[in-house]
Amino acid sequence: MYRTALRNVLAHKGRLLMTLLAVMLGTAFVAGTLVFTDTLGNALRSQSAKSYTDVAVTISDRGAVGKGYDHGGRANAGPTLTEETRKAVAALPGAAEARGVVTGFAGIADRKGALIGDGFSTTGTNYVPGADGADPRYPLVDGRGPRGSGEVALDARTAEKGGYKVGDTVRVAVNGPVMELTLTGTVRTNDPRVVSGGSLAAFDTATAQQLYLSPGRFGEIDIKGTPGADDDALLAAVQRTVPRGDGSIDTRTGRELADEQDRMIEEGTKGLSGVLLGFAAISLFVGIFIIANTFTMLVAQRTRELALLRAVGARRKQIVLSVLVEAMLVGLAASVAGLLTGIGIATGLRSLLNGPLEANLPDGPLVIAPTTVLVSVGVGVVVTVLAAWLPALRASRIAPVAAMSSGEQPASQKSLRVRNAIGLLFTAAGAAALSAGAAAKSGELVGLGAGTLLIGVFVLTPLLARPLIALFAPLLRRLYGTPGKLARENAVRNPRRTAATASALTIGVTLITALTVVGASVNKAVDEATANDLKADYTVAMQNFSMLSPEVAPQIARTPGVSAMSVVRTVPVETGADGDTEYLTGVDAATIDQLATVTVTSGTADALKQGKLLAGSGYAERMGLKTGDTLAVTYPDGAKGSLTVGGVLTANTALAGLVAPDSVVGPHAAPGSGPEKVLVKGAHGADPKLKQALRDATGGNPLIAVKGGQDIKAENRQLVTAVLNIMYGLLGMSVVIAVLGVVNTMAMSVFERRREIGMLRAIGLDRRGIGRMVRLESLMIALFGGLVGVLLGIVTAWAGTRTMADTFKNITTVVPPVQILGFLAAAALIGLLAAVWPARRAARTDILAAIKGD
């Protein structure tokens, strides 16, 4: 039987080609993902390790963010790292030197004033020269390091992008007006933020302290150990020397920091790998339909052969093993090819990201771990064998008497009834879970319901095939006559085969449709929220979401053409007996109603002008607050106070949570920090001249963005489009595999019906008619799969958008007709293209050989 299995594989190489390709592509996706993420993780760890090669111990001031405030917005009442601290630890036994470090954001403008790099990765730091005048963290490429307040050094890639050379004037900004500094030198850096597309601006230490902290203060001190010194002993000495205070001072060895960085890199690459493997699983799932269809058709075509084996003594178990061994050989060959292809994909992807896409990933050797080989090959083999299991069982049930028949044994009505009953059960359960998830706004329940519904529809597809394909019958008969009628009859002749072929395409179309509908729904919701909730003509804010400089708001207020403005400032406050942290937003009580829609369900919209609090409806419901209640709060500077609820605010994207007058909130904000953003109303509405005046008023800072309503809408659409394009690209593999499935089914169907095609040719159907019949059959199968996929995608997207109701106010399900029709047109095109080779092969069938053949 094993020799029989091997002989069958070799005898049906052509018919197994598409199955081999499907398994190979799915396995290549898995292998490429594992190789790429392993290679990326290894390169990032190697790069990270370089940052800690000369660091024995690091002292960090976790409160040294934003002029004396930590990440939670609390004032740092404890000790800070100063020059005296640095000198004290530098004198410890085992310490060779101690370097004080200051970091923050720094935007660098190009020649046209635009920001170079990503706003989140615009890094500023201090340049600390050693005895040789160079900072070992940032090796010089050209020139020298900065020595005064009017100088700056840039990383070499940023300088190249901006077209700057040593001696040029560079426009640099933090959160206020632009500084015009002289470029003294260019440097290299291993900082991942910079390497991945950001920028680096290095100032002298005094300037960096003035910009980011306060004079004489460091955010971090890195201690280099003497040769042979014990890092743990040095750490203990540092801990005895540096006061810990309220716990804001953190001390760790460089080895501990490197290990933590490695863990973060591992988590990040695991997350990326998980996402990519999820899409690989979709591709393999689509491949299962092709594999099962192929072996089902092979078994049907070998009915007489298998019956003869049974007649001469082969047991059912042997027949099953024979088919499964055949599947295993196919899976093994395809998986090995997929592994090699995946390695090539990983190599090409890295080159693409580092080349045209300019992702600047760190260099490193290609990592092909043993687990990658085992997982890739194992997954391909297991998937192929599992997909062939049911065809193998059907093969074992072929009766010996079938050896006298040359036709395929039709499925029993009982088996179809059982299948339909199971499908109806799954469909009903999936629909119920989907509806319940939409009502409860539960993403997990919606996901479970969508998966169950998809399985149910797959099981029911043979039942759906006949009535849905019949919809095309009148049109086909009218336009194409006999070939159209024959194509329709062929498409529904074997509903199981048609269902399996169409289902592979349905998966991809379902996911693509659902993503498109959700994207369109989110776009509309954001557009409406921007138009309805925000009355301001412009919003002024930092591109990296840090705080504006305190000087920005007064500068905007003095700008000609501004009729109303309000700062928006958010601080964390503790509320309730349990000290829960909530966020309190401060706005200008006198003007906010001109800049945002202020609608209340109870109380008065003028509560802010009375010095009272407006509580968002969601927060009020959750905390049981109502108009007239008093809310005790503890501000980030430690001060305590109480706020009276003057109204409950209707859900609003511009104003949410807890809103109070800025005259109440501002005094408790971080000293020296400004608002998050400023809302501006123009005397003549949204005016390009006013927009330019606002840019000028903020000093032309490249990190400060002045956005109007259209800018916000365009930015959101750009983000949604980018996400959708990535998803489409990742789903592309499953669509390619589905196309292979259609090609495979049509090609094997043509082979199976050689005698029938020969008879049609003999009674007068010409070659063009034969080719048209095959193409129309493929077209109907593809359109059937596309139509089912579109309907499932819309239903799934409807439930998904219901779960977003708390995030996007009044979100509705938007079905974009042009895109949906485009997906159906794409399905039709796939069907036509997939039939090119099978139709050509059918049209060239030799009449006499076909009629004579068995």
Side-chain angles (χ1 to χ4, degrees):
M1 295 304 294
Y2 295 114
R3 287 197 299 271
T4 300
L6 179 59
R7 178 183 62 79
N8 284 328
V9 171
L10 296 176
H12 301 113
K13 295 188 295 292
R15 288 180 240 178
L16 290 169
L17 176 62
M18 297 303 166
T19 297
L20 284 163
L21 286 174
V23 178
M24 185 196 76
L25 290 175
T27 306
F29 204 154
V30 174
T33 294
L34 295 175
V35 172
F36 176 73
T37 52
D38 286 347
T39 300
L40 177 62
N42 181 68
L44 288 173
R45 284 190 293 272
S46 297
Q47 183 187 68
S48 173
K50 295 177 182 177
S51 302
Y52 300 103
T53 52
D54 65 340
V55 177
V57 174
T58 290
I59 313 169
S60 302
D61 183 356
R62 290 180 295 189
V65 178
K67 301 280 187 180
Y69 278 66
D70 66 16
H71 296 286
R74 264 182 209 292
N76 177 25
T80 59
L81 302 181
T82 63
E83 180 63 18
E84 290 72 21
T85 310
R86 189 194 69 79
K87 290 179 179 178
V89 295
L92 291 173
E97 62 177 277
R99 178 173 54 236
V101 179
V102 183
T103 57
F105 289 104
I108 302 161
D110 62 15
R111 299 283 187 181
K112 297 180 180 179
L115 179 68
I116 300 176
D118 179 12
F120 291 98
S121 302
T122 51
T123 306
T125 189
N126 62 321
Y127 190 86
V128 187
D132 59 353
D135 189 330
R137 298 173 301 165
Y138 308 116
L140 284 166
V141 175
D142 190 19
R144 59 170 176 82
R147 296 173 183 168
S149 59
E151 298 180 342
V152 69
L154 303 179
D155 67 283
R157 195 163 55 85
T158 297
E160 181 181 357
K161 283 184 176 181
Y164 294 122
K165 297 180 180 179
V166 173
D168 287 350
T169 298
V170 180
R171 302 177 73 244
V172 183
V174 180
N175 63 348
V178 170
M179 302 174 289
E180 294 191 350
L181 308 175
T182 301
L183 180 63
T184 63
T186 57
V187 300
R188 293 193 305 270
T189 177
N190 291 319
D191 189 327
R193 294 171 298 178
V194 181
V195 173
S196 62
S199 61
L200 174 72
F203 310 95
D204 69 285
T205 297
T207 300
Q209 289 173 330
Q210 182 65 41
L211 289 173
Y212 299 120
L213 296 172
S214 56
R217 185 177 180 188
F218 298 111
E220 181 179 303
I221 296 177
D222 295 333
I223 306 170
K224 180 179 180 180
T226 57
D230 184 353
D231 291 353
D232 292 327
L234 181 56
L235 175 64
V238 168
Q239 290 174 339
R240 291 191 297 268
T241 304
V242 179
R244 306 298 292 275
D246 61 356
S248 62
I249 303 298
D250 181 48
T251 54
R252 282 185 284 180
T253 64
R255 183 179 62 255
E256 290 174 330
L257 290 173
D259 291 343
E260 181 181 347
Q261 190 73 15
D262 287 349
R263 284 193 297 271
M264 293 173 62
I265 291 171
E266 184 177 359
E267 289 175 3
T269 53
K270 276 185 178 179
L272 174 62
S273 178
V275 171
L276 294 177
L277 288 176
F279 285 94
I282 293 172
S283 298
L284 287 169
F285 184 59
V286 172
I288 286 176
F289 290 92
I290 299 175
I291 299 164
N293 219 12
T294 300
F295 279 94
T296 297
M297 296 176 75
L298 285 175
V299 166
Q301 292 170 15
R302 286 157 40 195
T303 297
R304 176 176 289 184
E305 173 191 331
L306 293 170
L308 284 172
L309 288 172
R310 291 293 314 285
V312 297
R315 297 188 302 277
R316 285 187 172 185
K317 183 178 179 181
Q318 289 178 304
I319 297 294
V320 171
L321 286 176
S322 173
V323 176
L324 292 182
V325 168
E326 187 176 342
M328 185 186 70
L329 293 174
V330 172
L332 182 62
S335 298
V336 171
L339 173 64
L340 297 176
T341 304
I343 294 172
I345 290 174
T347 303
L349 181 59
R350 187 170 63 167
S351 299
L352 176 66
L353 290 172
N354 280 337
L357 299 182
E358 297 184 353
N360 298 296
L361 300 179
D363 293 329
L366 199 67
V367 178
I368 306 173
T371 52
T372 298
V373 177
L374 294 175
V375 168
S376 301
V377 175
V379 165
V381 171
V382 169
V383 166
T384 308
V385 171
L386 287 177
W389 183 264
L390 286 178
L393 288 179
R394 293 195 193 105
S396 70
R397 293 169 184 164
I398 295 175
V401 72
M404 294 183 291
S405 172
S406 61
E408 179 181 345
Q409 302 301 305
S412 67
Q413 291 300 313
K414 179 181 178 182
S415 68
L416 288 174
R417 284 196 297 270
V418 171
R419 174 172 180 153
N420 292 339
I422 294 173
L424 286 171
L425 182 64
F426 270 88
T427 301
L434 208 62
S435 300
K441 301 176 184 177
S442 169
E444 293 79 5
L445 196 55
V446 166
L448 176 63
T452 306
L453 179 63
L454 196 63
I455 293 173
V457 171
F458 285 164
V459 177
L460 283 177
T461 307
L463 180 65
L464 300 173
R466 189 176 296 276
L468 287 179
I469 290 179
L471 295 175
F472 304 113
L475 181 63
L476 291 176
R477 281 198 300 269
R478 187 177 298 113
L479 294 178
Y480 301 107
T482 299
K485 180 180 179 181
L486 290 172
R488 184 260 176 190
E489 292 177 353
N490 287 334
V492 298
R493 176 188 297 182
N494 191 327
R496 291 189 180 208
R497 180 185 305 169
T498 298
T501 306
S503 295
L505 185 60
T506 296
I507 297 171
V509 175
T510 297
L511 295 173
I512 289 173
T513 300
L515 287 170
T516 302
V517 172
V518 169
S521 303
V522 170
N523 277 336
K524 183 182 179 183
V526 173
D527 287 352
E528 289 182 348
T530 302
N532 299 332
D533 296 344
L534 190 66
K535 296 180 181 179
D537 294 315
Y538 294 104
T539 299
V540 181
M542 298 288 288
Q543 293 196 52
N544 53 21
F545 296 104
S546 59
M547 301 298 178
L548 290 163
S549 171
E551 294 80 19
V552 170
Q555 290 167 344
I556 291 175
R558 293 192 296 268
T559 303
V562 173
S563 62
M565 60 151 287
S566 171
V567 300
V568 177
R569 186 195 319 272
T570 302
V571 298
V573 294
E574 290 182 0
T575 63
D578 297 331
D580 294 334
T581 298
E582 300 291 342
Y583 288 90
L584 179 65
T585 300
V587 297
D588 191 325
T591 59
I592 191 61
D593 56 348
Q594 301 176 51
L595 301 160
T597 302
V598 183
T599 307
V600 295
T601 57
S602 65
T604 174
D606 291 331
L608 294 175
K609 297 177 181 178
Q610 301 167 11
K612 296 180 180 179
L613 176 74
L614 285 179
S617 56
Y619 179 82
E621 181 180 352
R622 178 162 52 90
M623 300 301 295
L625 287 177
K626 59 183 182 299
T627 302
D629 287 351
T630 300
L631 183 67
V633 298
T634 302
Y635 294 103
D637 58 0
K640 297 183 182 296
S642 62
L643 298 170
T644 301
V645 179
V648 176
L649 189 66
T650 303
N652 190 314
T653 55
L655 300 173
L658 301 174
V659 184
D662 191 56
S663 58
V664 174
V665 178
H668 305 289
S673 70
E676 294 173 20
K677 57 186 174 182
V678 178
L679 304 179
V680 179
K681 186 77 172 176
H684 305 290
D687 182 359
K689 292 182 179 179
L690 174 60
K691 188 174 185 179
Q692 185 58 50
L694 291 172
R695 287 175 176 159
D696 295 339
T698 57
N701 188 330
L703 273 174
I704 296 179
V706 180
K707 298 178 183 177
Q710 293 303 318
D711 297 322
I712 295 173
K713 292 178 182 179
E715 190 176 75
N716 171 73
R717 289 184 176 275
Q718 185 177 13
L719 176 62
V720 172
T721 301
V723 172
L724 288 178
N725 288 339
I726 293 172
M727 295 295 184
Y728 292 157
L730 293 173
L731 288 171
M733 186 70 78
S734 64
V735 175
V736 170
I737 293 176
V739 173
L740 294 179
V742 180
V743 175
N744 185 57
T745 298
M746 298 310 303
M748 294 188 71
S749 179
V750 166
F751 179 85
E752 186 179 83
R753 303 196 318 250
R754 287 181 71 247
R755 176 177 287 184
E756 175 188 319
I757 291 172
M759 291 295 296
L760 289 172
R761 291 277 288 113
I763 62 176
L765 191 61
D766 59 12
R767 289 186 172 182
R768 178 178 295 179
I770 293 292
R772 180 174 292 170
M773 176 188 71
V774 174
R775 286 192 295 272
L776 290 175
E777 180 183 352
S778 177
L779 173 66
M780 281 187 287
I781 292 174
L783 276 176
F784 169 55
L787 182 61
V788 174
V790 163
L791 293 175
L792 282 173
I794 292 173
V795 171
T796 302
W798 165 80
T801 53
R802 293 298 87 211
T803 66
M804 303 178 184
D806 290 338
T807 304
F808 301 99
K809 186 181 72 171
N810 298 327
I811 187 171
T812 57
T813 304
V814 177
V815 181
V818 175
Q819 286 93 322
I820 297 302
L821 291 175
F823 296 152
L824 290 175
L829 182 61
I830 286 172
L832 292 175
L833 292 177
V836 170
W837 176 56
R840 185 181 181 87
R841 182 179 178 183
R844 292 187 172 186
T845 299
D846 183 89
I847 299 176
L848 294 178
I851 295 175
K852 179 182 177 182
D854 189 11

